[in-house]
Amino acid sequence: MYIIIDTINGAKASAIIYSIAETAKANNLKPYHYFELLLTEIPKHMEDTNLDFLDDLLPWSEKLPVECRKQNQ
């Protein structure tokens, strides 16, 4: 099953992605690197019942890798 933007589910998925990207930008993160981190780390925890690991992945977390952060100029 494909979710495309011109369906209700596609619009919802797009809104979630845009929201994450804009929140990353607002927190001085590089959106591409932030998405890459999320898409590699979250699958590692699919069997976890404790979701505390998500706190470290929030865009304002001090524990995010330096690669995700924009350089101060």
Side-chain angles (χ1 to χ4, degrees), residues 50-64:
N50 182 342
L51 301 179
D52 289 343
F53 76 95
L54 291 172
D55 291 339
D56 294 340
L57 297 176
L58 294 172
W60 47 85
S61 172
E62 297 292 327
K63 296 182 180 180
L64 291 176

